[in-house]
Every structure is written in C-alpha cells, then in structure tokens.
C-alpha cells in the first residue's frame, strides 16, 4: 500500500469523528457569528458553572474546569452543531446525594472532587457503552408524567436546599423535611444575615424581571456584576456575607482521581441514575434543536458525544455534565452555527483563569444561590401537572407519586421511583387493557365499540370481542375470564369472534390458557374464532400446536369475512338498532 493510499485511509477514518467532519464542512461566513455567540455564551457559562458546582457540593472552580473540558470534548465527538453541554441544575443534587455521604464528617473538598471526577468517568463509560450497544431507547423508560413529577420534586428540593444560603446561614439536614424544619428554626432564631438576604432576594428579583422585560440581555451576568459591585462598595464581606474568594490560577490540571474501593458501589448506583437523566435530557434537547436547524437526531452518537464530554471533565477535576436547553437556546439566539461557539467559550474561561483569576473574588455566595434558585424554577412544570389532572387522573397520580418520591426519599431514590412507576404504568396498561364488544352502526363502515354506540346492531348467536393488547402471561387469565363471561350470556352465543388485530403477540402461557379455554367452550358448543390475526402471531399459534383444538377453519382474514361465514352457516340477520348516534351525542 502506497503512502498516498494510507493517508487517504487515515483521512476517511478521521472523518468519522464528528469534530473533524465539522471542520471539513465549516463555512467561512459562520466565523463571525460563532465568535459573537461564544462571547455571549461565556457570560452565562461562568456564573452558572460556579453555581452548579456549589449545588453539587463542590468548590466553585470545579464548575469552570468542568465547563471548559466538556465543551472541548463535545466539540470533538458531539454530532449536534449547536448543542451546549455543561454543569446542570438537574444533575447537581444527584451528584451531591452520591458524593457527600462518602466525604464523611470532615467535608474534605479534595476527596469530594476526586469522588465527583470518578462519578463523571463512570457516567462516561455508561454513556459510551450504551452508545456502542445502541441503547438510546432507554431514555424512554421515563414517561412524561413521571418526568414532570420528578422535575417538580427536584425543583422543590433545590429551592429548599438553597434558601438558607440565600439568606446567609446554613442548615444541616439529610432530607427535605429536615431542611424545611431546620430552615424555619433558623429563621425563628434570627439567623438571617440582612445583607446576604438583600443580595440573594434582590438577585432573584432582578433575574426574573430582566428575563421577562429584556429577554435578550444576559440577566444572570447583569445580576452577578451588580452583586460584585455591591460587595466591593458596601464591604459585604465585613457584614457577614460569604464571598467566593480567590480562584486557583491556570488551566485545569490533568488528574487521575484516587478513591477507596468501597466507594465504587455507591458511585456506580449514582452514575446509573445520572446517566439516565442525562440521556433523557440529551435526546429531548437534541430532538428539539435538531428540528429547528433541520438536522437529524443521532441518538447513539449523542450518547457517545456526552460520554466523551464526561470523560474529559472527569480527567480534569470535573464532575458529570449534561446538555443544557437554556444555554443552547442562548447560543442559538446569539447566532451560533457550529461547535466553535463552545470552543470560544472554553477558551475565554481559560483566559480568565490565567489572566484574571481574581475576577470573581468578591462574588457573594447568595448571588450564586439566586442563580441556582432561578434555574430550579425553570425545571418545575406546575402547569403540566395541572394539565394531567384535567386530562387524565391516572397519569396525574403517577406524576404525584414521582414528586413525593423525590421530596420524601431523596433525589437518587426519586429517579428509581420515576423509572419504576413508568415501567409499572406500561405493564398496567398491558395487564388490564381496554376490551369491548363490537357491533354494526348504520352509516359507518366496519364494526364499532358498543360503549360508544350503545344501540349498535348485533347478530344473534355471534359476539365480536376486541382485546387491545398482546396476549401474555399477565393478562391471559383476564382475557379468559371475559370470554367465559360472554359465553355464559343468555342467550348463549355459538361463535365468539376475536377481533385480533391489536394482538401483537401470544406467549406460551397465553397459549396454554387459550387451549384450555377453547376446550371448555367447545364442551358448551361455543366456538372461538379469530379474525385479522397477524401472520407472525398466527405462526406462533400453529407452532404451539393450538390448531389441535382451535379449528383451522376458524381463522379469518377480516372480521367481515368471519361475520359473512357465520351468516352463511346460520342465516342470522342483523338486529336493527334504534339510534346509532355515539353515546356522547345522547348526552
């Protein structure tokens, strides 16, 4: 092989990497917009990065390290042109819930950083392995109602946890109820620092006001600048207000974190929950912004990109990251055209750490609490919960259960509750599916639900029954009991036609139940008939040997064909219905 062929092969292999492909297709006219968008994005990245680091129980500088490395990692391996990654308000409490119990009473920040870095590496491994195994569908394990409940519970947890910091004091508690009780007690004891409360509450009011009145202005940056100015002018440090202090100077140091072997199991449990939430965020945000830019969503590549971003963060004293809808929206509004926007943001943060590390020295901690609280408000979806209450009470109860799970059990158990409830909801629908008898309605083709059309016509001696689910071990007996009830009617039908189009499967347990059911019905001179059964399901029934009891002649391609065969055999005529309007029209 010549050197020219080898070089061509190398180039073709490198083009598989999204970042290389993006560079090769980059347009010169995008440069100005990407540079401007990068500057605008940085104004949001710095204060949010520091605030979300503290939310995770880590030093503020780790938020900046994490932001730099995840932006660079995703720029190389992420498929989306404008998706922005970084520390996230929804992951912060999960990181804290995983790391802080392992840090022990001394609260060693170096150990906390090492644990968080290992957590990021674990999330990276999970995401990359899931990408290789093409497991993007796992994001669907959390249904919309349970995700609404989870996020509302998370928002409340963040809000309550940040209130003491907002007002200038601390509360030591292990759960939401303990934090609420401690907060009230500290308020009653007069622990509020007036200057801290003024900065924190004023910061929240300013951010919310600017976001509503002047949405194009970076509200968080304006609030942070004013808070620093107030700290200097009024010497807030001497008035009992905690300040961020001097940040370490220089580029994030490459570090291989060292932890105890006993830490791995609890870290892995946390990493699985974080990876699941990050995956759901990534797929939803990627889908939303891809629709706007005309891109295709590549779920497995997105997982790989987020995995590499976490890998880079974990090796440079960072913590787990996810995509951010708010930061991506800022980049998009600022004119971002490619991942160069994120690279510019990372470069500007590095320059800040190298040239002016003391820039945020006088930033009040209550201002960071204000940033986190306003972010938590954006997580909550109270209107969504109200809509569920109005539209479907069963799904509202799922939402409420997920909310209570987070609020009472904690963030990590809460995500387990959310996933468990989503899976149980799917199982419940398959376990107790909708089922009904069908009849003929004048003026409408086909056969229709007699619950919607109570006066629908029927054929004497024939029942058309529809069971809207695959037939498997959990619902086979419910199917059997309902068919038996129909067979015991007076007068007794001679055919029960199963409108089997919704039956996408019949497992071996259901096969045994069908065999017993058919034998029992045959003894009563009632015949079980199938119509519109899908070919794969029919093949399974034949493979199970069910045609020994179910007459092969009792399988029809359509319900109409089964009805025609029954009428030809019996001469039955349709009973005329008096009023075929839907039940809703009667009301």
């Amino acid at each position: 092989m010549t050197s020219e062929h080898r070089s061509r092969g190398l180039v073709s292999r490198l083009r598989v990497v999204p970042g290389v492909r993006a560079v090769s297709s980059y347009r010169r006219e995008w440069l100005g917009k990407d540079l401007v968008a990068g500057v605008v994005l940085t104004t949001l990245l710095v204060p949010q990065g520091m605030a979300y680091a503290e939310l995770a129980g880590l030093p503020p500088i780790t938020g900046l390290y994490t932001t730099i490395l995840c932006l660079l990692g995703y720029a190389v391996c992420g498929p989306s042109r404008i998706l922005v990654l970084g520390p996230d308000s929804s992951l912060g409490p999960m990181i804290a819930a995983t790391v802080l119990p392992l840090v022990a009473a001394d609260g060693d920040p170096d150990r906390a950083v090492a644990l968080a870095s290992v957590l990021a590496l674990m999330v990276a491994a999970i995401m990359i392995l899931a990408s290789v195994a093409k497991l993007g569908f796992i994001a669907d394990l959390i249904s919309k109602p349970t995700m609404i409940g989870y996020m509302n519970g998370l928002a409340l947890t963040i809000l309550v946890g940040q209130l003491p910091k907002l007002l200038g004091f601390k509360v030591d508690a292990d759960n939401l109820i303990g934090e609420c009780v401690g907060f009230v007690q500290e308020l009653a004891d007069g622990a509020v620092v007036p200057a801290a409360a003024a900065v924190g509450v004023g910061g929240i009011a300013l951010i919310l006001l600017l976001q509503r009145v002047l949405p194009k202005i970076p509200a968080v940056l304006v609030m942070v600048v004013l808070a620093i100015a107030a700290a200097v002018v009024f010497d807030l440090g001497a008035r009992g207000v905690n300040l961020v202090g001097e940040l370490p100077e220089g580029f994030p140091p490459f570090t291989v974190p060292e932890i105890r072997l006993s830490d791995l199991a609890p870290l892995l449990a946390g990493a699985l929950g974080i990876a699941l939430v990050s995956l759901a965020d990534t797929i939803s945000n990627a889908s939303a912004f891809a629709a706007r830019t005309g891109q295709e969503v590549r779920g497995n590549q997105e997982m790989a990109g987020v995995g590499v971003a976490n890998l880079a963060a974990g090796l440079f004293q960072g913590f787990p990251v996810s995509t951010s809808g708010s930061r991506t929206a800022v980049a998009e509004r600022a004119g971002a055209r490619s991942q160069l926007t994120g690279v510019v943001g990372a470069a500007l943060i590095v320059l800040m750490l190298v040239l002016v590390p003391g820039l945020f020295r006088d930033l009040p901690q209550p201002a960071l609490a204000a940033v986190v609280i306003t972010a938590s408000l954006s997580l909550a979806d109270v209107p969504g919960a109200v809509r569920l209450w109005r539209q479907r009470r069963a799904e509202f109860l799922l939402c409420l259960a997920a909310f209570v799970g987070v609020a009472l059990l904690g963030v990590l158990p809460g995500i387990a509750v959310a996933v468990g409830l989503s899976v149980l909801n799917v199982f419940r629908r398959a376990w107790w599916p909708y089922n009904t008898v069908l009849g003929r309605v004048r003026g409408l083709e086909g056969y229709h639900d007699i619950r919607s059309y109570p006066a629908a016509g029927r054929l004497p001696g024939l029942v058309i029954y529809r069971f809207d689910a695959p037939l498997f071990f959990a619902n086979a007996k419910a199917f059997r009991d309902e068919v038996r009830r129909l067979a015991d009617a007076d007068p007794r039908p001679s055919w029960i036609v199963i409108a089997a189009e919704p039956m996408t499967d019949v497992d071996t347990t259901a096969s045994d139940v069908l065999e017993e059911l058919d034998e029992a019905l045959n003894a009563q001179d009632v015949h079980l008939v199938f119509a519109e059964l899908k070919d794969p399901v029919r093949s399974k029934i034949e493979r199970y040997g069910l045609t020994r009891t179910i007459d092969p002649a009792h399988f029809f391609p359509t319900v109409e064909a089964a009805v025609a065969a029954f009428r030809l055999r019996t001469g039955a005529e349709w009973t005329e219905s008096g009023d075929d309007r839907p039940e809703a029209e009667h009301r």
Side-chain angles (χ1 to χ4, degrees), residues 494-535:
S494 56
W495 276 25
I496 296 178
V497 176
I498 309 299
E501 185 181 15
M503 286 187 181
T504 55
D505 191 21
V506 175
D507 72 2
T508 54
T509 302
S511 169
D512 293 340
V513 171
L514 279 177
E515 185 173 15
E516 294 172 4
L517 174 63
D518 189 60
E519 289 175 347
L521 292 179
N522 288 341
Q524 296 176 291
D525 199 24
V526 178
H527 301 286
L528 199 59
V529 177
F530 288 87
E532 300 180 355
L533 196 64
K534 292 177 171 59
D535 288 343

Side-chain angles (χ1 to χ4, degrees), residues 548-562:
R548 292 192 309 270
T549 58
I550 301 176
D551 188 344
H554 286 170
F555 290 90
F556 292 92
T558 64
V559 174
E560 189 65 53

Side-chain angles (χ1 to χ4, degrees), residues 50 60 242-248 357-365:
M50 297 169 68
N242 292 325
L243 306 178
V244 169
E246 197 82 26
L247 296 177
L359 186 62
F360 291 93
R361 175 180 57 242
D362 295 315
L363 175 62
Q365 293 282 1

Side-chain angles (χ1 to χ4, degrees), residues 286-324:
S287 300
F289 287 98
R292 297 185 195 180
T293 59
Q295 283 187 281
E296 235 179 273
V297 177
R298 301 180 181 90
N300 293 309
Q301 286 190 18
E302 288 291 357
M303 283 190 290
V306 176
V308 171
N310 277 282
L311 177 64
L315 292 174
F316 288 85
Q317 296 190 10
F319 50 85
V321 298
S322 180
T323 55
S324 168

Side-chain angles (χ1 to χ4, degrees), residues 258-561:
E258 296 181 4
I259 61 169
R260 302 165 188 161
L261 193 61
S262 59
D263 296 330
L264 292 178
L267 285 177
L268 180 59
L272 289 170
I274 290 170
L276 182 58
V277 172
S278 179
L279 176 57
D281 274 349
T282 298
I283 298 299
S284 61
N285 285 321
S287 300
F289 287 98
R292 297 185 195 180
T293 59
Q295 283 187 281
E296 235 179 273
V297 177
R298 301 180 181 90
N300 293 309
Q301 286 190 18
E302 288 291 357
M303 283 190 290
V306 176
V308 171
N310 277 282
L311 177 64
L315 292 174
F316 288 85
Q317 296 190 10
F319 50 85
V321 298
S322 180
T323 55
S324 168
S326 61
R327 285 183 287 255
T328 304
V330 167
E332 183 188 46
R333 286 198 300 267
R337 291 293 181 270
S338 74
Q339 284 297 325
L340 181 59
T341 297
V343 174
V344 170
L348 290 176
I349 297 174
V350 170
L351 288 176
M352 184 199 77
L353 291 176
V354 171
L355 301 179
V356 282
L359 186 62
F360 291 93
R361 175 180 57 242
D362 295 315
L363 175 62
Q365 293 282 1
L368 292 181
V371 173
V372 173
I373 288 175
T374 53
S376 74
L377 296 178
S378 68
L379 289 178
D381 187 6
V382 176
V386 173
R387 187 172 62 251
L388 289 174
W389 169 259
R390 291 173 179 168
Q391 294 176 349
R392 190 161 182 171
R393 299 289 171 86
E395 295 201 342
F396 172 79
L397 292 176
L398 286 174
C399 172
L400 183 63
F403 172 82
V404 172
V406 176
L408 298 184
L409 301 179
V411 177
L412 287 178
I415 190 63
V417 169
V419 173
L421 288 174
S422 295
V423 173
L424 284 175
N425 190 34
V426 173
F427 192 70
R428 178 189 64 83
R429 292 179 182 180
W431 194 350
W432 297 306
Y434 186 78
N435 61 98
T436 189
V437 172
L438 307 180
R440 191 177 70 165
V441 179
R442 282 186 307 186
L444 292 178
E445 292 186 3
Y447 300 90
H448 303 277
D449 190 342
I450 64 170
R451 292 174 184 166
S452 298
Y453 299 90
R458 309 187 198 183
L459 274 176
L462 179 138
V463 174
I464 305 172
Y465 174 63
R466 192 182 69 209
F467 189 80
D468 292 347
L471 204 57
F472 68 113
F473 67 91
N475 63 21
K477 292 183 179 179
F479 173 86
R480 177 200 64 191
D481 294 343
E482 185 61 23
V483 171
R484 281 180 174 174
R485 187 188 69 77
L486 294 173
D488 291 336
D490 186 20
R492 189 188 301 277
S494 56
W495 276 25
I496 296 178
V497 176
I498 309 299
E501 185 181 15
M503 286 187 181
T504 55
D505 191 21
V506 175
D507 72 2
T508 54
T509 302
S511 169
D512 293 340
V513 171
L514 279 177
E515 185 173 15
E516 294 172 4
L517 174 63
D518 189 60
E519 289 175 347
L521 292 179
N522 288 341
Q524 296 176 291
D525 199 24
V526 178
H527 301 286
L528 199 59
V529 177
F530 288 87
E532 300 180 355
L533 196 64
K534 292 177 171 59
D535 288 343
V537 182
R538 170 74 182 271
S539 299
K540 288 180 181 178
I541 284 177
E542 292 174 348
R543 191 163 62 248
Y544 298 152
L546 273 178
T547 49
R548 292 192 309 270
T549 58
I550 301 176
D551 188 344
H554 286 170
F555 290 90
F556 292 92
T558 64
V559 174
E560 189 65 53

Side-chain angles (χ1 to χ4, degrees), residues 57-348:
L58 302 167
I61 186 63
T62 60
L64 301 183
Y65 290 167
T66 300
T67 301
I68 293 167
L69 272 303
C70 75
L71 288 173
L72 295 177
Y74 188 82
V76 174
C77 295
S80 172
R81 284 206 302 264
I82 64 167
L83 213 58
V84 177
L85 270 69
D88 190 71
S89 56
S90 63
L91 298 189
M94 300 180 74
I95 297 168
T98 306
V99 169
L100 295 186
L102 302 176
V103 175
D106 57 2
D108 181 6
D110 291 336
R111 175 161 161 73
V113 170
L115 290 166
S117 296
V118 172
L119 192 61
L121 296 177
M122 286 183 170
V123 171
I126 293 168
M127 296 291 272
I128 293 172
L129 288 174
S131 172
V132 172
K134 302 186 185 302
L135 297 179
F137 66 89
I138 290 177
D140 298 332
L141 283 178
I142 308 181
S143 67
K144 184 69 177 290
T146 49
M147 180 56 87
I148 290 175
Y150 173 77
M151 285 300 179
N152 285 341
L154 190 62
L156 179 63
T157 300
I158 294 172
L159 176 65
V160 172
Q162 291 295 306
L163 282 177
K165 182 178 174 182
L166 188 81
L167 303 180
F169 59 87
K170 291 183 180 181
V171 171
D172 292 325
D174 296 328
N175 53 55
L176 183 65
I177 294 176
E179 288 179 342
C180 289
V181 171
F183 178 72
V184 173
Q185 288 176 344
E186 291 293 334
L187 281 181
D189 293 341
V192 176
V193 177
V199 171
V201 175
I204 291 175
L206 182 61
I207 291 174
L208 296 178
L209 179 65
L210 289 178
Q211 286 177 342
R212 178 176 289 274
V213 178
L214 300 169
K216 292 187 177 180
I217 291 180
V220 171
L221 178 66
V222 171
M223 187 276 293
V224 165
V225 170
L226 291 178
I228 292 173
V232 173
V233 171
F234 298 106
D235 193 17
L236 295 182
R239 297 174 181 269
V241 178
N242 292 325
L243 306 178
V244 169
E246 197 82 26
L247 296 177
E249 182 179 351
F251 189 80
F254 175 82
T255 307
V256 178
E258 296 181 4
I259 61 169
R260 302 165 188 161
L261 193 61
S262 59
D263 296 330
L264 292 178
L267 285 177
L268 180 59
L272 289 170
I274 290 170
L276 182 58
V277 172
S278 179
L279 176 57
D281 274 349
T282 298
I283 298 299
S284 61
N285 285 321
S287 300
F289 287 98
R292 297 185 195 180
T293 59
Q295 283 187 281
E296 235 179 273
V297 177
R298 301 180 181 90
N300 293 309
Q301 286 190 18
E302 288 291 357
M303 283 190 290
V306 176
V308 171
N310 277 282
L311 177 64
L315 292 174
F316 288 85
Q317 296 190 10
F319 50 85
V321 298
S322 180
T323 55
S324 168
S326 61
R327 285 183 287 255
T328 304
V330 167
E332 183 188 46
R333 286 198 300 267
R337 291 293 181 270
S338 74
Q339 284 297 325
L340 181 59
T341 297
V343 174
V344 170
L348 290 176

